[in-house]
Amino acid sequence: VLLRDYPIIVYQRPGFEVVEPLSERTQVLHAPLIEISATMIRKMIREKKSIKYLIPEPVIAYINENRYYQ
């Protein structure tokens, strides 16, 4: 259903080459690569640093409400 009804956007990661075109329903997103990891985000939360521009606001709210990684 996903492949039939929705376009698939592929974000290229460092060290993983994506050969275009994958299919008529897929598109490779050419955007700046950001070095980020879940481990880094958890560490930043424990250190009380802002993760505002790293993950979506609803996710930040959920993490804060449930006091994850503190």
Side-chain angles (χ1 to χ4, degrees):
V1 173
L2 284 176
L3 292 175
R4 184 190 70 220
D5 295 339
Y6 300 96
I8 303 298
I9 307 298
V10 178
Y11 184 80
Q12 190 161 338
R13 294 175 41 207
F16 296 89
E17 182 179 351
V18 177
V19 179
E20 295 183 68
L22 300 171
S23 80
E24 64 183 42
R25 302 283 303 157
T26 59
Q27 175 185 354
V28 177
L29 177 65
H30 297 282
L33 300 177
I34 301 170
E35 293 291 330
I36 187 172
S37 71
T39 301
M40 182 186 83
I41 291 171
R42 288 189 299 267
K43 181 179 180 205
M44 290 176 72
I45 293 169
R46 282 192 298 276
E47 295 174 352
K48 309 258 189 266
K49 294 181 180 176
S50 174
I51 57 171
K52 184 173 182 174
Y53 298 106
L54 301 177
I55 58 177
E57 288 293 333
V59 176
I60 294 171
Y62 184 82
I63 289 170
N64 291 335
E65 288 168 14
N66 292 283
R67 302 182 62 163
Y68 290 132
Y69 316 118
Q70 301 185 25

